[in-house]
Amino acid sequence: MELAKQLLSLAKKRVHPTVLGTKPLSCNGHSAVLFENRILVLKKGSKSDDQIWFLEVDTEYVRQQRKKLGTEVVAWSKGVIGNAEKPIVISGPSGVGKGTLISMLMKEFPSMFGFSVSHTTRAPRNMEKDGVHYHFTEKSVMEKEIKSGKFLEFASVHGNLYGTSVEAVEVVADAGKRCILDIDVQGARSVRASSLEAIFIFVCPPSMEELEKRLRDRGTETEEQILKRLRNAQAEIEQGKSSNIFDFILYNDNLEECYDRLKKLLGLDGFVATSPKSAAPREINLPTDHSVSKIDDKIIISCISSGLDKESKNSIMLDVSSLKGGAPGRTRGLDFQVIGSMDQLS
Ligand SMILES: Nc1nc2c(ncn2[C@@H]2O[C@H](COP(=O)(O)OP(=O)(O)O)[C@@H](O)[C@H]2O)c(=O)[nH]1
Ligand SMILES: Nc1ncnc2c1ncn2[C@@H]1O[C@H](COP(=O)(O)OP(=O)(O)O)[C@@H](O)[C@H]1O
């Protein structure tokens, strides 16, 4: 087995790889199953949202990072039952109305959408709250975190650093909501090239004069910053329209009409927001005592539970045939079936 040979050779050479991604917390033992390019780790007696992990050893992301960092790399990724809807990436020049459109969407469909809170080194505006609009951070801290692999993408925009952390996108998906990212064209390009499948929308102003008016009327930037943003806007609009990054271009002339078009392309026209959409994944609790075997893409977890007068065996079949995502982030697309008694389900 290729991966086994690779691991053995690393161990012999006593190589200490760079470990990327959020590590699982320690536990009272684990089972491990070797795949072609990653290791499935099942934590014994852990909480249901912390049981299934993957240590990626030779996936696309790991290979990319190995090249970039010039060291051996492995990456952790948490395994999640079920799938998440594709995130929505919204880009466009400063002042075009991205934030306004996103706020309208989140207000009308609060249980459906969640905002990816970016990190930035720019100073907060008057009404902006740390952790809500942005995670405001120091440049040196953010640079360190970029090196440690915390960000899905980052870019220098209008003289400041901005970045989407892996966590920012995953907490929204974990809450069963569809993630909205407000990022610049460079960020959109990076996400396009990443393993994150998304829908890409570029918002255009009706004219440069109107863009300038909106920016000035908003009154949040200094004259110098306004001029810088307007200079950058020209190039952003050209890239937004001509590159192959974006699936849709939206002209934000009349706000209500633009919002209606946005809802239409997201399949929300005529949609009535009623009770929260329950996207919470089913859960599975693995007992401390279990053994694991692998048959093709199926993992059979045999659980041993002793009752008063007898010992019974239940099995859970974990299907890993349609894995999606992976590091950086979560590995989704897992499914399970209980074979035998249901008392292991929470
Ligand atoms: N690449 C990237 N761009 C971001 C991120 N967060 C915000 N931006 C972009 O940075 C630019 C400046 O944002 P901001 O300072 O809030 O000003 P605004 O454009 O006037 O709303 C906008 O184009 C945002 O879309 C991020 O995490 N990554
Ligand atoms: N279609 C529109 N017509 C007129 N003003 C708009 C429109 N869309 C947004 N605005 C206003 O323009 C300003 C910039 O919008 P904002 O959402 O902050 O832009 P961005 O997030 O793209 O920088 C805000 O004051 C907002 O109220």
Side-chain angles (χ1 to χ4, degrees):
M1 202 184 253
E2 273 317 300
L3 185 66
K5 275 189 209 155
Q6 206 175 332
L7 289 171
L8 202 62
S9 133
L10 287 180
K12 274 186 190 158
K13 283 191 257 169
R14 291 182 188 275
V15 173
H16 294 282
T18 304
V19 184
L20 299 175
T22 313
K23 296 181 186 73
L25 297 173
S26 62
C27 58
N28 305 324
H30 62 267
S31 318
V33 184
L34 215 52
F35 282 87
E36 212 176 293
N37 52 10
R38 59 187 112 204
I39 302 167
L40 167 70
V41 177
L42 295 165
K43 289 175 65 178
K44 294 189 174 181
S46 295
K47 284 199 186 135
S48 60
D49 65 346
D50 181 41
Q51 289 168 339
I52 308 167
W53 287 81
F54 289 92
L55 184 65
E56 302 198 352
V57 181
D58 197 29
T59 56
E60 177 66 26
Y61 172 72
V62 164
R63 283 196 292 270
Q64 274 173 8
Q65 295 301 311
R66 200 184 287 150
K67 220 184 237 175
K68 201 163 119 189
L69 300 174
T71 61
E72 277 301 331
V73 171
V74 291
W76 282 109
S77 153
K78 192 194 275 189
V80 179
I81 304 282
N83 279 312
E85 274 201 88
K86 277 187 189 175
I88 302 158
V89 172
I90 299 192
S91 295
S94 180
V96 73
K98 304 177 296 292
T100 307
L101 289 164
I102 293 170
S103 298
M104 290 166 84
L105 207 53
M106 306 250 302
K107 198 171 167 201
E108 188 174 359
F109 304 99
S111 59
M112 195 180 275
F113 297 103
F115 186 61
S116 156
V117 182
S118 294
H119 282 62
T120 183
T121 60
R122 93 151 155 72
R125 292 171 187 154
N126 268 345
M127 301 299 288
E128 285 179 334
K129 286 201 185 92
D130 190 30
V132 176
H133 299 92
Y134 280 106
H135 297 289
F136 295 99
T137 179
E138 293 289 322
K139 194 169 176 218
S140 58
V141 175
M142 191 158 166
E143 283 172 342
K144 224 188 228 168
E145 290 176 339
I146 288 172
K147 276 202 187 123
S148 74
K150 176 171 173 155
F151 290 91
L152 194 63
E153 63 78 32
F154 62 91
S156 171
V157 193
H158 316 315
N160 282 299
L161 270 181
Y162 292 80
T164 310
S165 70
V166 172
E167 211 57 29
V169 175
E170 293 297 351
V171 290
V172 176
D174 289 353
K177 295 185 182 185
R178 193 167 184 188
C179 187
I180 305 180
L181 290 83
D182 174 347
I183 59 175
D184 87 315
V185 178
Q186 305 168 73
R189 184 176 286 117
S190 304
V191 175
R192 211 10 143 193
S194 79
S195 57
L196 187 78
E197 271 188 67
I199 291 181
F200 295 77
I201 300 170
F202 188 79
V203 187
C204 256
S207 66
M208 288 308 284
E209 291 72 31
E210 173 64 17
L211 183 69
E212 179 166 356
K213 183 176 178 303
R214 285 182 198 172
L215 255 185
R216 289 193 183 284
D217 289 352
R218 190 172 70 182
T220 49
E221 264 69 35
T222 62
E223 181 62 20
E224 193 191 343
Q225 284 166 348
I226 289 176
L227 294 177
K228 189 183 260 182
R229 281 160 188 263
L230 287 172
R231 270 198 306 275
N232 293 341
Q234 199 75 53
E236 285 172 306
I237 294 169
E238 272 165 33
Q239 287 181 50
K241 282 182 177 174
S242 63
S243 65
N244 293 326
I245 304 171
F246 295 95
D247 302 305
F248 302 99
I249 293 183
L250 265 186
Y251 281 87
N252 184 15
D253 192 346
N254 176 288
L255 183 60
E256 288 303 327
E257 284 173 21
C258 181
Y259 180 58
D260 282 345
R261 286 197 297 276
L262 174 62
K263 286 200 290 184
K264 200 165 191 174
L265 68 85
L266 294 176
L268 295 167
D269 50 334
F271 190 95
V272 183
T274 48
S275 57
K277 193 179 137 203
S278 172
R282 290 180 298 155
E283 290 187 349
I284 180 174
N285 276 341
L286 295 182
T288 313
D289 279 334
H290 68 246
S291 64
V292 179
S293 53
K294 179 174 178 282
I295 306 168
D296 299 325
D297 283 332
K298 311 275 188 290
I299 309 295
I300 311 294
I301 306 160
S302 305
C303 315
I304 304 147
S305 55
S306 1
L308 274 180
D309 51 0
K310 61 175 182 180
E311 195 175 69
S312 67
K313 265 194 176 183
N314 308 308
S315 293
I316 295 164
M317 187 177 74
L318 189 63
D319 187 347
V320 292
S321 60
S322 53
L323 297 186
K324 278 200 184 125
R330 315 268 195 267
T331 298
R332 298 184 187 274
L334 297 166
D335 199 6
F336 71 87
Q337 249 180 303
V338 178
I339 315 167
S341 162
M342 298 285 285
D343 62 8
Q344 304 304 332
L345 276 175
S346 60

